[in-house]
Amino acid sequence: MLDAYRFAREAGCLEGRLALLDFRRLLDVLARTDGWVDYRLSGVTGDQGQARLRLQVTGRLLLVCQRCLGAAAYDLRIDRLLELAPEGSAPTQEEMEDDNVDILPLDGALAVDALVEDEVLLSLPIAPRHAECALPAAAAGDARANPFAALVALKHR
Ligand SMILES: [Zn+2]
């Protein structure tokens, strides 16, 4: 847990590696759960004195291809700027117009591993697929027709 406002004010820097197995919410979309992601969190102060965090995450995930249900490699390249704001506070006009910054509602301490998992989940494609999937076109049609059934089948295997 991190005192994020202070971390931002003091231009802190934190680097680490997190095992995929610790990401409970991410496990559902992974074809393989070994491996890890590397992250780097830095504290930044905005032009108007805003407390911000820059989060960078890299790593290689194996997602479930929605056509053939095989493992499809996906390289994470996350680089996000997050502005800390008390929970429930309304964003200013300026903040809403700035596409480069997202608001991170936060009171109290920040769970860094949960933040990394949130950002990884947000960055994933909705329907991951091999760029060149080996599955024949006819069978691919079936998988596309009902990707959720295919996922359920996979989970119960
Ligand atoms: Zn595929």
Side-chain angles (χ1 to χ4, degrees):
M1 299 297 277
L2 184 75
D3 181 345
Y5 287 94
R6 183 174 162 191
F7 183 84
R9 218 167 37 235
E10 296 179 351
C13 186
L14 189 66
E15 287 181 322
R17 173 169 284 188
L18 296 170
L20 295 179
L21 274 172
D22 293 333
F23 290 145
R24 297 282 155 212
R25 290 170 292 153
L26 186 63
L27 292 183
D28 284 349
V29 300
L30 295 179
R32 290 185 55 170
T33 54
D34 49 346
W36 60 84
V37 300
D38 290 308
Y39 71 88
R40 180 189 170 91
L41 187 70
S42 350
V44 182
T45 302
D47 296 340
Q48 321 286 329
Q50 310 95 317
R52 292 175 173 174
L53 300 175
R54 183 181 181 194
L55 178 67
Q56 294 160 283
V57 186
T58 56
R60 168 164 280 214
L61 304 182
L62 289 171
L63 305 177
V64 179
C65 169
Q66 296 302 294
R67 286 184 82 185
C68 70
L69 302 184
Y74 180 76
D75 286 317
L76 285 174
R77 291 276 176 277
I78 297 172
D79 190 346
R80 298 248 292 162
L81 196 56
L82 302 164
E83 185 162 312
L84 302 172
E87 286 183 44
S89 67
T92 65
Q93 191 68 24
E94 211 173 301
E95 285 164 347
M96 285 195 293
E97 284 168 3
D98 192 342
D99 291 336
N100 299 315
V101 184
D102 292 293
I103 301 298
L104 177 65
L106 183 75
D107 292 330
L110 174 71
V112 177
D113 49 356
L115 175 68
V116 172
E117 184 174 18
D118 285 343
E119 294 301 324
V120 169
L121 282 166
L122 283 173
S123 75
L124 296 181
I126 292 166
R129 286 180 191 188
H130 291 115
E132 293 186 28
C133 189
L135 201 70
D142 290 341
R144 231 190 345 254
N146 199 343
F148 293 106
L151 265 183
V152 169
L154 192 79
K155 276 189 187 170
H156 292 283
R157 204 158 59 189

